[in-house]
Amino acid sequence: MRKPIIAGNWKMNKTPEEAAVLVKDLIPLVADAKCDVVVCPPAVCLSAVKSVVEGTNVRLGAQNVHFAEKGAFTGELSCDMLKAVGCEYVIIGHSERRQFFGETDKSVNKRTVAAVKAGLIPIICVGEMKDEREDGYTDAIVAYQTLMALTGLTPDEIKNVVVAYEPVWAIGTGLTATDEQANETIGVIRKAIEGRYGKDVADAVRIQYGGSMKGSNVKGLMSQPEIDGGLIGGASLKAADFAQVVNY
Ligand code: PGA
């Protein structure tokens, strides 16, 4: 049985002070959660959030990580830096990074491998654009993005990663994939993993849905057999909204 995991991606929102308030409000609301709960604030907020979540069931994640240990990579952060401020998870290859910051399947792979080797759990984002779905390429794209990201990991390492299926057209748009669409495409991702690494690996990997997931649609999505959780943007920025998703 896969334990569901709900993660909040705060994107470029909240100062350290605001982040601490948000997570302080959140903690009592999600204390009895049956799923793993993760918050991914901006990097400058990680320390502030860490000191608040310490000793609770809320885990800390970052929104990106570089693959090098250190060096001349202005603006980037290493795995060791993230671990030093309490991160256990890191989002990799979010579509906003792919669209706006030149992230490629190759760089997603390098970041993923570095994160796993360093003991961080990657939340690897994959998903098709609107025209790609309309032209019938969704399955090929999500399978390719997923397998590329996992290249170089051992089967045991792969069992521990989290994949987030986020159709790009559903992110921040209010449009959500239907429960069945999300379930079906996540099933395609799992089959692709099974094809390369076998059924026991595919059965262990947790695959989230992301894209306008919120209190009003979480139940339907989470009742689908393939969907193991959510990566939540907009609805993670208010404690009560995020708690509603976590406590689906
Ligand atoms: P959204 O974002 O929930 O605001 O659509 C999800 C994400 O980008 O991870």
Side-chain angles (χ1 to χ4, degrees):
M1 255 319 261
R2 297 181 295 266
K3 188 175 185 196
I5 174 167
I6 305 275
N9 173 13
W10 297 2
K11 308 191 181 185
M12 198 174 74
N13 294 288
K14 308 292 176 188
T15 63
E17 209 175 315
E18 291 165 347
V21 171
L22 171 51
V23 82
K24 238 178 234 150
D25 290 345
L26 178 69
I27 287 167
L29 303 179
V30 299
D32 298 324
K34 289 178 193 68
C35 58
D36 287 340
V37 184
V38 184
V39 292
C40 303
V44 291
C45 303
L46 288 168
S47 292
V49 173
K50 165 70 179 166
S51 60
V52 181
V53 299
E54 201 118 55
T56 75
N57 61 329
V58 177
R59 297 280 167 270
L60 193 58
Q63 298 178 12
N64 187 26
V65 70
H66 197 264
F67 38 84
E69 275 175 32
K70 60 178 170 191
F73 302 104
T74 303
E76 293 282 333
L77 299 168
S78 73
C79 295
D80 283 351
M81 292 172 188
L82 296 183
K83 288 198 314 184
V85 290
C87 288
E88 294 173 54
Y89 293 84
V90 58
I91 298 170
I92 295 178
H94 190 278
S95 66
E96 285 149 17
R97 296 213 55 82
R98 294 177 188 258
Q99 274 182 286
F100 307 131
F101 302 103
E103 196 78 71
T104 63
D105 289 314
K106 194 80 208 156
S107 63
V108 168
N109 174 239
K110 287 165 90 171
R111 293 180 201 272
T112 300
V113 170
V116 170
K117 304 290 176 196
L120 290 163
I121 300 176
I123 300 176
I124 304 160
C125 301
V126 302
E128 82 287 0
M129 316 273 279
K130 188 163 179 282
D131 57 333
E132 293 168 336
R133 174 167 282 270
E134 286 165 358
D135 292 341
Y137 292 119
T138 298
D139 295 2
I141 283 169
V142 296
Y144 179 76
Q145 288 181 343
T146 304
L147 293 181
M148 266 293 287
L150 300 176
T151 302
L153 297 179
T154 68
D156 276 342
E157 287 170 337
I158 293 171
K159 284 182 185 172
N160 213 24
V161 310
V162 177
V163 177
Y165 167 56
E166 300 205 304
V168 180
W169 48 271
I171 294 176
T173 57
L175 297 173
T176 319
T178 64
D179 302 345
E180 292 74 22
Q181 269 174 334
N183 188 64
E184 192 188 317
T185 306
I186 289 176
V188 168
I189 293 169
R190 202 178 301 287
K191 272 275 170 248
I193 297 172
E194 183 180 334
R196 177 79 51 97
Y197 299 101
K199 189 164 162 45
D200 63 324
V201 175
D203 283 347
V205 174
R206 294 186 290 179
I207 309 179
Q208 301 171 310
Y209 168 76
S212 301
M213 196 165 172
K214 48 186 179 281
S216 57
N217 59 25
V218 61
K219 253 201 172 71
L221 288 160
M222 289 305 294
S223 66
Q224 296 289 326
E226 294 288 356
I227 303 180
D228 303 319
L231 184 55
I232 319 300
S236 70
L237 294 174
K238 287 195 182 133
D241 292 352
F242 189 55
Q244 224 187 332
V245 179
V246 168
N247 299 320
Y248 65 91

